């Protein structure tokens, strides 16, 4: 199962690290407790829309960019978890082995 909160936390942590910011710096800028941000980054807590907007502002990254990155990560995980479709061959069709 794909957990949105885990992927969101990974994206937020990546942005924080890319900006060279500590949890303490983001906490002060966003006015959110350091422990709560840490739990969000580890995928243990859900971030409200207001909190997420505050974190994005502190990280100087557009909310749309964060959500796009999370959406892309969800799509990758969904594809990896999807069962491999079995090709349907019509009755009477000739099956030719490919040279792979």
């Amino acid at each position: 199962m794909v957990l949105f909160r885990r992927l969101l936390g990974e994206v937020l942590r990546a942005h924080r690290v890319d900006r060279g910011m500590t949890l303490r710096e983001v906490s002060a800028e966003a006015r959110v407790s350091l422990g709560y941000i840490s739990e969000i980054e580890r995928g243990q807590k859900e971030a409200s829309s207001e909190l997420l907007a505050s974190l994005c502002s502190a990280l100087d990254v557009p909310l749309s960019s964060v959500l796009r990155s999370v959406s892309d990560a969800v799509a990758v995980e969904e594809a990896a978890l999807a069962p491999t479709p079995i090709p349907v061959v019509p009755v009477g069709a000739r099956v030719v082995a490919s040279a792979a």
Side-chain angles (χ1 to χ4, degrees):
M1 174 185 356
V2 177
L3 280 180
F4 181 85
R5 70 174 183 251
R6 179 181 55 80
L7 297 173
L8 174 62
E10 290 174 5
V11 168
L12 289 172
R13 178 182 292 124
H15 280 289
R16 179 178 60 78
V17 170
D18 286 348
R19 299 223 358 112
M21 295 179 77
T22 64
L23 281 171
R24 188 171 310 284
E25 291 168 329
V26 174
S27 172
E29 184 73 26
R31 295 180 178 218
V32 177
S33 79
L34 186 147
Y36 199 73
I37 296 171
S38 176
E39 288 179 312
I40 290 169
E41 284 190 359
R42 288 181 281 136
Q44 295 176 336
K45 294 284 185 186
E46 299 277 351
S48 69
S49 57
E50 293 85 0
L51 179 71
L52 185 53
S54 185
L55 292 173
C56 287
S57 178
L59 294 168
D60 195 31
V61 60
L63 175 61
S64 60
S65 177
V66 168
L67 293 176
R68 192 174 305 110
S69 295
V70 174
S71 177
D72 291 346
V74 167
V76 167
E77 285 205 9
E78 284 177 335
L81 294 174
T84 306
I86 299 170
V88 176
V89 179
V91 176
R94 213 173 115 191
V95 178
V96 179
S98 64

